[in-house]
Amino acid sequence: MSDVFPKWTNKLPTFVLVAAAAAGTAVVAGSWYYFTPKYTRVGYQPLQPVSFSHHIHVEQLGMDCRYCHDGVEKSYHSNIPSSTLCMNCHNQVLKDDPRLALVRESAGTGKPVPWVWIHKTPDYVFFNHAVHVNRGISCVHCHGQINLMDEVQHAKPLSMAFCLECHRQPEAFIRPPGQVFNLNWQPESPTKQLADGARLVREWKVEKLENCSACHR
Amino acid sequence: MKTVPPPCPEPETGPQYWRSLEQLAETPAFQEWLEREFPDGASEWTDPVSRRHFVRIMSASFLLMGVGLTTGCRRPEEKILPFTKQPPGYTHGVPQYFATAMPLRGSATPLLVKSYDGRPVKLEGNPEHPLNRRPDGPAHGGTDAITQASILNLYDPDRAQRFTYKGENVAREKALDALAAAGKAALAGQGRGLAWLSGRSSSPSQLRLLEELRQRFPQARGYVYEPVDFDIHRQAATLTFGESVKPRYHLEKARRILALDCDFIGSENDAWHLIGGFARGRRLESPSDPLNRLYVVEPVMSLTGTNADHRLRLPASQVFPFLAAMFAEFMDLARAADTTPGAADFAAGLKERARSLSAEARKWASACLKDLAAHPGEVVVLAGHRQPLAVHVLANAMNFYLQGAGRTVSWIAAPEPPAGTIQELAAALDAGEIETLVILGGNPVYDAPADLDWAATQRKAKTIFRLGYHEDETAAVCDWHLPEAHYLESWGDARTLDGTLVPVQPLIEPLFGGLTALEVLARLGGLPAVKPYEIVRETFRHIAGADAFDEKWKRFLHDGHLPDSAAKTVTPQDVNWSAAAPAVLAGPALPAPGPQALEVVFLRDAKVDDGRFNNNGWLQELPDPITKLTWDNALLVSPATARALGVYRVRDHYIGNAISLKTRMPVVKIELAGRSIEAPVWVQPGMADHVLGLTLGYGRLRTGRVGKGAGYNAYALRTAAAPYIAAGAKAAAAGRDYELATTQNHWAMKGRPIIREANLAEYEKNRRFARAMDMPEPKLGARPIYPNPLEEAARTAPHQWAMSIDLGQCVGCAACVIACQSENNIPIVGKEQVGRNREMHWMRLDRYYLGPEEHPQVVQQPMLCQHCEAAPCENVCPVNATVHDQEGLNVMVYNRCVGTRYCSNNCPYKVRRFNFFDYNRRPLDQLYRSPLTSFNDGEWELKRWFKNPDRGSRPQDEWDLLKLARNPDVTVRMRGVMEKCTFCVQRLEQAKIAQKVRAGASGDTTVKEGAVKTACQQACPAEAITFGNLKDPHSAVSRARAHERTYMVLDYLATKPRVTYLARVRNPNPEMPDYHETPLSTREYLDHGGMLHGHGPEPHGESAAAHAEQKGGH
């Protein structure tokens, strides 16, 4: 019989297998790295319609988080403040500043300021703010050092693994209730955090909630 | 590697950034932008780079930006739109509760409505209302199925949304001006030619306005028409005692109840309240507790009949002879003839009227009377709304003479302003006397008596204004159609059955600018105050007084009732025999029906009422409590009558083989007084022979997308002379079949102890009869090697949830089914899918017949996910979508489910429901459509999906309203996902969160007893469902679980359910001719080899962990 196939086709199956394995690994590795929340979400810093700086308002002026986000202690939803709340101060401070034109217009006309949504969990996740901030989890754990941000940036991945880190070990993150809204607070040392945290977990009967119904209903 | 995120699309505001690459590199704006958008990557640009390198990188990133701009980068930019001005006291995400009431005919149901984001999502009973207070426990506001479903009517896309004149859209102002002009024109003639037609209403504001209109228009006439009218109770009581009174029943105080064609559990007014009283009389901690006894005499099997201890099936026309015979015997017993003049003649007259009564019925009546007479002061006789006046008068008299006054029944003041009947209105119209007719609500073209030919008659008025909720049959025969506001959008008031004033408070602005009856009347009369809010306040001022008005008004709205506003109780001295006796003996005795002269009984439907809820999807899909039919009504006949007609189809259902749920039944043509209709037959065990039961409310000619094509129209046979009971009908098979969809086609338990019951005598002797009926569990062999992680979790978790359902108190009313549907966003699936057993109700009521089909015993059982500790469904899920949480709940994680359906396969209780199709987002008649090839509304389905995957393919108007009805706390499930009862996990989580927020920096994290109620528990008017924390030994559910009557369904499968049932205890009278020594279900169980005595397994009181410790991990 003469050669039906040229010689180089002998190497073809091996080549295909190796290439397929390499491609598969590349796809998996690529997805693992690029399509997880740690990559896709962290660093998201969209341009907001009004250049509100948390650094100025929280660090320099010393405002408490709850002045604007007043629903955070009562509801699952931490609300963006209304335009009239901004005008509480800004009808005097920076009264005519062009950067606040949109806020003034909104408070006057009733058209809301279209803030860009940064921190969002999927619809099948039911997250409740009130139970976290009332039980010793600070804003900084999930939102990063937002008090130092001039423009809000998505600092943590907010993936399920991220949530479980704390749910599995609340003593590593829980802090005295008075320090929840003090975003600059640091524990004296990691061991002190674990020791104090363990005590608080015991006293407050904090549950290590890993069951599905805690967040997915 | 430096993570340089791809750039995001430019925001709406902000400067344009670049025109060319060169400019971009050099402009400071770009630098600034770079700094902000790429905080980490910005440093890269401070390094000196070559132009070439720059171009290479920039072009790559601009390519990505280009890609990003067309497909979106990380995720589409979404906006948060906060308030511009925060409403005071409002926090988004925290529900608000408002007290209101649902007015229905001459009464109202007090409600507490949960509102999210300014729209109502769930209705509950108002525990603050005096009717809901309990002397021996926490207040409980029960509701019924119709009330629970009424919220869906608010979001009905087919409701009237526009003002029309002769069918064309007009502006609201134009219609209102026309109304005012009509009133002004009528004023000139003192109202001659003006008439209004309304339904029954308990609203004091409406009464006040009508009175003002009567004064303004002395010649105008008011008419009242209700197709199903409960006013007979008041009329009879007024006649009986000579004072304007109506009866109010205290069933909780009654030890003996006789219901004469009175379905007080199902189709009488204020059933929710009567169920509560009745159920309280069935509460048994031990056999020595008082237990009531219910005697029922009825033609058609009703819910009340299923709860009866003794039931006599009797044609409706024979109920009067029955009561006449009983009353005559009662008079003999009391030797009334000796003391009262005329009594002997009256008794003779009664005996004459009782001639047609069968011997069997006579014996039954006699034995029943003996029992009633032996319990004076603890007896109540109830007559149903279908029965003629004579029956009601005698019933009132019996209640009086059995010393029920002030105990089991009180007669309360009930003045009723005069109003004409619809027959009088028809006569006036025929005579051409009506110029302007104003119709407030109702649907007379559909439900007026057929002999009035109402469609043509109504048109004889020159101008017709109609305030209607739907553009229905009546809207087609009117000039001006005004959209009516739903009660959840209206200001109004009403009186509950005891006369207490309740507010009707709006939860939302009228969605389509609808009007209330108050506003229409005010505008017609040209009254100064036309806003319903002002009208109601004015009425309140009249009733409550003007001092401290604002304080009282606020409290009125907050509490949902006005304290001490109940009607005065009247203590009658005696029956006014001079008027009552002739009323009783008036009219000829109706002969008993026979094969050639069948009796027709017109029944108020348990779901769509008289037709007003015909377009309500939840109610259409709710299985009828007795027949389990959905989406249709049927002609009810007894087995013997069906055989006589030749339409008895052996379907094996009664023997117990479940076959296709799409039931083809023969159609029968019924002729009555020259009119005829055709209807599919349904063989109803326990019905009286030669009686045809027709349910009203279906077969609408002009209804919405839900009600279209559902059922036959029974109103076509109904005449003014015989609105409830008609004689002389003929029926014959029509020669064709009709397919009916029913949810339960197997009606027998086959000797399995699923529903356990015993007579009181047996219970006294054998306290643990329920547990004795347990079957032995399989031997599980060796101990498991691994510790069960749930046992550890059970020790540390603060709660272990469990539920207990008392079958002695559950009456089968199905309020729980609709409450669950409302709370958990459960979709409806349509008739065709119900026929394939795909209905989505998480909670269902199983109904079984026991004994001979002529007079069976009926038992009902609510069945829901049992949250088994050893759940068969959890082991078999390949993706771990159903897991057990540490508090004992069997949790369903929708986002993990891939739709294998193995869990449903493995569930022995068959409580898991699968979303076979996208019931939420697709119209129900397009479920099978392929998304690849369908073309809808000028758009390809795929293109529509691509533009907005979440949108679904329902019409826009339906979609917008459907979204509003959803509970935001609960996921809306998609096709391909399993769902089942979650013990209202959203409510549990909310309660736990609320408790933890309250606890804050403390360990008080256990939810208090009674703080959380599941939807079914809260809606149940009988308080049959107990739910709570098993870890608390004093909680109601712990005590219920440890009770001797507690058992588990299918206990031998060792699933260890967290839902337990309390066995039912019947209280039959040994002297009665139909006395059974054991209930027929127990009889069947014993015949199949069961035991009532013998082994008594361990009580269920301990928690799983303790139990396991005791048994060493078994």
Side-chain angles (χ1 to χ4, degrees):
Chain A
M1 283 289 278
S2 60
D3 294 327
V4 179
F5 293 100
K7 258 284 201 300
W8 62 267
T9 56
N10 286 345
K11 301 199 197 72
L12 203 55
T14 325
F15 207 65
V16 165
L17 272 167
V18 168
T25 314
V27 166
V28 169
S31 314
W32 202 295
Y33 188 84
Y34 286 107
F35 292 142
T36 49
K38 197 149 184 203
Y39 182 82
T40 56
R41 294 184 196 167
V42 175
Y44 180 48
Q45 191 172 331
L47 204 62
Q48 298 286 350
V50 176
S51 57
F52 174 81
S53 163
H54 276 91
H55 188 263
I56 294 173
H57 289 80
V58 180
E59 280 300 292
Q60 289 183 22
L61 296 176
M63 287 170 77
D64 188 283
C65 315
R66 288 164 287 180
Y67 181 76
C68 298
H69 303 285
D70 60 309
V72 75
E73 283 182 312
K74 305 173 221 157
S75 151
Y76 75 87
H77 174 78
S78 165
N79 57 319
I80 303 283
S82 57
S83 319
T84 44
L85 193 135
C86 307
M87 295 310 288
N88 280 348
C89 292
H90 285 288
N91 55 6
Q92 290 171 358
V93 177
L94 296 177
K95 182 146 75 95
D96 300 308
D97 195 302
R99 289 171 292 177
L100 289 160
L102 202 59
V103 178
R104 282 193 299 275
E105 183 201 327
S106 162
T109 60
K111 189 164 145 281
V113 176
W115 300 99
V116 178
W117 200 347
I118 301 172
H119 299 93
K120 182 178 191 289
T121 49
D123 284 341
Y124 47 80
V125 175
F126 289 83
F127 173 79
N128 186 299
H129 272 95
V131 74
H132 287 82
V133 303
N134 280 293
R135 298 277 280 174
I137 301 298
S138 172
C139 323
V140 73
H141 295 307
C142 305
H143 295 288
Q145 287 293 142
I146 207 162
N147 56 327
L148 302 176
M149 294 183 192
D150 273 315
E151 202 171 51
V152 177
Q153 179 201 39
H154 202 301
K156 306 280 182 174
L158 297 191
S159 57
M160 183 162 157
F162 168 80
C163 297
L164 283 176
E165 250 174 56
C166 182
H167 272 240
R168 286 185 174 136
Q169 207 194 11
E171 55 270 13
F173 299 91
I174 202 167
R175 59 169 68 179
Q179 302 300 334
V180 165
F181 296 102
N182 175 9
L183 294 158
N184 291 323
W185 185 85
Q186 293 286 336
E188 284 161 29
S189 68
T191 35
K192 185 93 180 15
Q193 167 65 47
L194 286 174
D196 287 343
R199 181 178 52 84
L200 290 176
V201 165
R202 207 177 44 246
E203 280 175 18
W204 298 355
K205 300 218 190 94
V206 174
E207 296 178 80
K208 295 184 169 54
L209 285 175
E210 287 181 87
N211 67 82
C212 308
S213 60
C215 313
H216 300 292
R217 338 176 189 131
Chain B
M1 180 202 316
K2 267 250 167 18
T3 59
V4 177
C8 289
E10 293 172 23
E12 288 178 280
T13 58
Q16 288 301 105
Y17 285 119
W18 55 278
R19 268 173 266 153
S20 70
L21 287 179
E22 276 81 357
Q23 278 193 339
L24 195 58
E26 278 146 32
T27 53
F30 172 75
Q31 289 288 4
E32 196 190 51
W33 177 65
L34 201 57
E35 295 266 273
R36 271 192 301 174
E37 283 293 335
F38 302 96
D40 298 319
S43 58
E44 216 165 79
W45 294 94
T46 58
D47 306 330
V49 292
S50 74
R51 174 151 278 194
R52 202 190 187 83
H53 179 63
F54 165 77
V55 167
R56 208 181 297 137
I57 293 185
M58 278 312 288
S59 59
S61 59
F62 283 144
L63 173 71
L64 281 175
M65 191 211 291
V67 166
L69 279 170
T70 51
T71 62
C73 33
R74 302 159 194 272
R75 65 172 196 241
E77 196 175 82
E78 289 170 85
K79 300 277 196 278
I80 307 178
L81 300 175
F83 285 110
T84 43
K85 184 167 179 230
Q86 184 99 354
Y90 173 82
T91 310
H92 176 74
V94 175
Q96 297 178 297
Y97 294 86
F98 293 95
T100 180
M102 171 169 167
L104 192 61
R105 299 193 180 84
S107 182
T109 312
L111 298 175
L112 198 61
V113 185
K114 179 172 173 186
S115 163
Y116 263 120
D117 305 334
R119 68 176 204 280
V121 291
K122 183 74 172 65
L123 306 177
E124 307 294 353
N126 183 0
E128 293 290 319
H129 193 276
L131 285 176
N132 289 324
R133 304 265 177 73
R134 301 277 178 268
D136 55 348
H140 181 90
T143 49
D144 56 33
I146 286 180
T147 311
Q148 286 289 333
S150 64
I151 193 168
L152 192 66
N153 265 39
L154 173 65
Y155 301 117
D156 185 353
D158 297 312
R159 56 183 286 201
Q161 302 176 10
R162 52 190 194 142
F163 291 81
T164 67
Y165 178 63
K166 292 203 197 298
E168 298 298 317
N169 267 15
V170 293
R172 178 196 169 101
E173 289 70 31
K174 190 145 172 267
L176 295 179
D177 287 342
L179 186 62
K184 230 197 296 272
L187 205 56
Q190 290 210 317
R192 198 174 309 115
L194 175 64
W196 50 81
L197 174 66
S198 62
R200 294 245 173 251
S201 169
S202 63
S203 164
S205 288
Q206 184 160 327
L207 292 172
R208 182 172 70 80
L209 287 183
L210 285 175
E211 186 51 46
E212 283 193 43
L213 282 178
R214 262 189 286 275
Q215 282 175 11
R216 265 180 199 243
F217 307 113
Q219 303 284 332
R221 286 176 269 191
Y223 300 90
V224 167
Y225 175 63
E226 281 285 354
V228 174
D229 200 356
F230 299 113
D231 193 54
I232 186 125
H233 298 284
R234 183 197 59 85
Q235 289 168 19
T238 303
L239 182 72
T240 312
F241 298 108
E243 299 176 75
S244 295
V245 288
K246 68 173 180 187
R248 184 200 152 178
Y249 300 106
H250 307 274
L251 294 185
E252 64 275 10
K253 300 205 185 102
R255 296 285 296 274
R256 300 287 182 264
I257 304 171
L258 171 62
L260 300 160
D261 194 14
C262 180
D263 184 15
F264 65 88
I265 291 176
S267 55
E268 289 294 320
N269 219 12
D270 300 309
W272 60 275
H273 178 72
L274 296 171
I275 292 174
F278 173 70
R280 289 214 287 293
R282 302 211 90 130
R283 195 165 288 172
L284 273 190
E285 280 295 317
S286 73
S288 51
D289 283 349
L291 181 61
N292 61 21
R293 182 175 291 157
L294 176 60
Y295 294 95
V296 171
V297 175
E298 59 181 13
V300 181
M301 177 67 78
S302 70
L303 267 181
T304 312
T306 67
N307 287 289
D309 294 301
H310 291 283
R311 182 173 176 271
L312 176 70
R313 55 190 191 117
L314 208 59
S317 59
Q318 300 305 299
V319 172
F320 174 54
F322 173 91
L323 190 55
M326 188 186 262
F327 199 85
E329 194 177 330
F330 184 49
M331 289 174 78
D332 290 342
L333 267 178
R335 305 174 79 85
D338 300 345
T339 50
T340 317
D345 291 333
F346 184 60
L350 288 177
K351 288 196 180 109
E352 165 73 21
R353 292 285 185 282
R355 250 179 323 149
S356 55
L357 202 64
S358 67
E360 176 206 344
R362 243 177 248 281
K363 236 173 85 185
W364 201 98
S366 198
C368 175
L369 175 66
K370 251 200 256 337
D371 194 20
L372 297 182
H375 291 85
E378 297 177 321
V379 176
V380 67
V381 177
L382 302 164
H385 66 274
R386 289 188 287 270
Q387 290 298 317
L389 194 67
V391 173
H392 287 267
V393 169
L394 283 180
N396 273 297
M398 275 201 85
N399 284 331
F400 180 77
Y401 287 116
L402 286 167
Q403 296 163 43
R407 295 186 199 143
T408 57
V409 57
S410 24
W411 285 280
I412 58 177
E416 183 84 359
T421 64
I422 197 170
Q423 293 98 299
E424 289 163 13
L425 177 57
L429 282 165
D430 285 333
E433 291 165 19
I434 308 293
E435 300 243 339
T436 311
L437 178 61
V438 179
I439 306 177
L440 299 168
N443 192 2
V445 172
Y446 167 66
D447 54 36
D451 53 342
L452 294 179
D453 191 16
W454 187 256
T457 312
Q458 181 178 301
R459 192 59 270 184
K460 292 185 181 146
K462 293 215 183 41
T463 318
I464 307 174
F465 289 86
R466 196 273 183 124
L467 176 72
Y469 198 74
H470 288 99
E471 284 186 25
D472 51 19
E473 294 89 340
T474 309
V477 186
C478 74
D479 297 309
W480 296 90
H481 195 261
L482 317 168
E484 190 176 5
H486 194 266
Y487 74 89
L488 287 171
E489 309 171 311
S490 324
W491 275 108
D493 51 19
R495 287 195 186 271
T496 48
L497 66 99
D498 60 343
T500 306
L501 184 68
V502 287
V504 176
Q505 212 187 152
L507 275 285
I508 191 170
E509 282 256 352
L511 288 170
F512 302 107
L515 303 172
T516 59
L518 297 178
E519 185 167 352
V520 170
L521 287 173
R523 285 184 187 273
L524 181 69
L527 302 179
V530 293
K531 285 173 62 170
Y533 178 64
E534 291 163 15
I535 299 171
V536 174
R537 268 170 78 91
E538 187 58 34
T539 313
F540 187 71
R541 204 186 305 270
H542 287 271
I543 297 175
D547 53 308
F549 177 72
D550 279 317
E551 176 62 37
K552 275 192 271 194
W553 170 253
K554 277 199 207 116
R555 188 130 282 271
F556 176 56
L557 292 183
H558 176 271
D559 291 347
H561 72 279
L562 178 63
D564 303 319
S565 59
K568 298 274 174 296
T569 309
V570 169
T571 320
Q573 296 306 310
D574 194 7
V575 172
N576 182 16
W577 283 116
S578 54
V584 169
L585 296 178
L590 282 173
Q596 294 311 315
L598 300 165
E599 179 177 286
V600 168
V601 179
F602 294 96
L603 307 161
R604 176 192 176 200
D605 190 57
K607 304 182 292 159
V608 303
D609 200 319
D610 55 2
R612 60 186 73 195
F613 296 107
N614 182 278
N615 203 41
N616 187 316
W618 292 348
L619 288 172
Q620 284 281 7
E621 190 149 299
L622 177 67
D624 182 272
I626 306 293
T627 62
K628 301 295 175 207
L629 282 174
T630 60
W631 295 94
D632 269 308
N633 56 343
L635 174 70
L636 303 169
V637 290
S638 71
T641 316
R643 282 197 187 85
L645 289 171
V647 293
Y648 185 88
R649 191 166 285 179
V650 176
R651 291 165 45 230
D652 283 343
H653 56 259
Y654 199 69
I655 305 166
N657 294 325
I659 54 175
S660 164
L661 286 148
K662 274 190 285 207
T663 314
R664 298 194 68 85
M665 289 307 280
V667 171
V668 156
K669 183 166 172 188
I670 310 140
E671 276 172 36
L672 178 63
R675 297 181 185 84
S676 70
I677 59 169
E678 290 190 356
V681 137
W682 186 262
V683 177
Q684 178 59 48
M687 239 182 104
D689 293 329
H690 312 302
V691 173
L692 304 171
L694 272 68
T695 20
L696 300 166
Y698 292 83
R700 292 273 300 266
L701 300 157
R702 205 173 162 214
T703 180
R705 62 202 83 183
V706 168
K708 213 172 8 196
Y712 65 89
N713 182 6
Y715 283 108
L717 285 187
R718 208 171 181 231
T719 59
Y724 301 109
I725 309 166
K730 285 198 184 25
R736 62 184 175 92
D737 285 350
Y738 185 81
E739 218 162 68
L740 292 168
T742 164
T743 60
Q744 185 180 0
N745 220 14
H746 66 285
W747 299 353
M749 284 199 285
K750 286 192 167 179
R752 292 176 299 163
I754 301 172
I755 300 177
R756 303 181 189 180
E757 44 178 0
N759 285 346
L760 185 60
E762 175 70 36
Y763 178 39
E764 281 165 2
K765 290 196 316 248
N766 181 6
R767 301 282 289 259
R768 299 176 56 111
F769 73 91
R771 299 308 315 286
M773 290 161 97
D774 283 347
M775 284 153 72
E777 282 181 19
K779 295 260 183 299
L780 290 179
R783 294 174 45 174
I785 317 172
Y786 303 106
N788 185 344
L790 285 177
E791 285 162 27
E792 168 63 35
R795 268 191 282 274
T796 54
H799 318 95
Q800 290 298 316
W801 303 109
M803 181 184 277
S804 169
I805 301 180
D806 189 344
L807 292 178
Q809 302 205 267
C810 171
V811 295
C813 69
C816 52
V817 178
I818 302 286
C820 177
Q821 186 156 30
S822 175
E823 170 77 18
N824 293 297
N825 302 334
I826 297 175
I828 57 170
V829 303
K831 178 175 170 183
E832 200 262 333
Q833 293 290 302
V834 171
R836 291 170 192 265
N837 198 13
R838 290 174 180 172
E839 76 278 1
M840 297 303 296
H841 296 123
W842 290 4
M843 178 111 166
R844 65 168 193 264
L845 284 164
D846 289 336
R847 177 267 299 121
Y848 299 104
Y849 294 109
L850 289 317
E853 65 178 358
E854 288 78 32
H855 36 86
Q857 283 187 351
V858 189
V859 288
Q860 303 247 17
Q861 182 180 45
M863 180 51 67
L864 63 158
C865 172
Q866 307 281 293
H867 294 270
C868 311
E869 288 172 17
C873 56
E874 289 171 9
N875 308 336
V876 297
C877 178
V879 295
N880 215 30
T882 177
V883 292
H884 221 78
D885 81 359
Q886 82 276 26
E887 296 191 338
L889 253 60
N890 177 288
V891 165
M892 187 65 218
V893 187
Y894 307 116
N895 38 307
R896 263 188 107 101
C897 177
V898 291
T900 313
R901 308 197 290 280
Y902 198 161
C903 54
S904 170
N905 197 24
N906 230 22
C907 175
Y909 306 97
K910 285 292 170 277
V911 285
R912 284 178 157 271
R913 316 309 309 170
F914 187 68
N915 280 276
F916 279 93
F917 292 102
D918 203 354
Y919 299 120
N920 276 305
R921 301 194 311 199
R922 285 206 179 192
L924 295 179
D925 53 354
Q926 293 175 26
L927 292 172
Y928 289 92
R929 225 187 45 208
S930 159
L932 297 173
T933 55
S934 48
F935 190 76
N936 222 16
D937 287 334
E939 206 177 20
W940 287 100
E941 176 69 19
L942 271 181
K943 178 159 174 237
R944 186 207 52 73
W945 176 85
F946 190 74
K947 285 199 287 194
N948 183 357
D950 292 328
R951 167 61 182 76
S953 48
R954 288 199 185 230
Q956 188 67 37
D957 61 339
E958 206 179 312
W959 184 248
D960 289 336
L961 284 173
L962 202 71
K963 286 192 292 184
L964 296 180
R966 296 282 174 257
N967 181 356
D969 279 337
V970 180
T971 310
V972 177
R973 282 79 56 192
M974 169 59 165
R975 171 190 57 230
V977 165
M978 190 64 79
E979 62 186 53
K980 65 173 185 69
C981 163
T982 56
F983 270 175
C984 282
V985 67
Q986 69 279 3
R987 291 187 177 206
L988 298 181
E989 291 296 316
Q990 302 281 32
K992 291 192 303 195
I993 286 169
Q995 184 60 37
K996 285 181 187 171
V997 167
R998 247 196 308 274
S1002 81
D1004 185 20
T1005 55
T1006 307
V1007 173
K1008 306 279 174 285
E1009 165 75 359
V1012 64
K1013 286 186 170 189
T1014 56
C1016 49
Q1017 176 193 16
Q1018 198 168 10
C1020 179
E1023 295 181 78
I1025 300 178
T1026 313
F1027 178 82
N1029 186 3
L1030 268 188
K1031 278 198 115 161
D1032 174 3
H1034 303 293
S1035 70
V1037 77
S1038 295
R1039 281 184 280 119
R1041 226 171 136 91
H1043 196 271
E1044 59 206 358
R1045 274 191 297 134
T1046 291
Y1047 71 96
M1048 295 174 174
V1049 176
L1050 301 182
D1051 53 286
Y1052 56 91
L1053 293 177
T1055 52
K1056 304 210 271 274
R1058 280 287 175 91
V1059 176
T1060 52
Y1061 294 82
L1062 278 110
R1064 179 175 169 180
V1065 177
R1066 286 184 187 258
N1067 188 12
N1069 180 358
E1071 311 298 322
M1072 292 290 289
D1074 58 346
Y1075 171 72
H1076 295 282
E1077 203 179 325
T1078 50
L1080 296 181
S1081 68
T1082 318
R1083 179 82 267 144
E1084 189 181 74
Y1085 161 75
L1086 292 169
D1087 288 343
H1088 277 75
M1091 290 192 299
L1092 267 185
H1093 304 264
H1095 66 93
E1098 315 77 32
H1100 294 297
E1102 294 98 20
S1103 69
H1107 186 76
E1109 277 172 17
Q1110 273 188 11
K1111 298 293 285 182
H1114 165 72

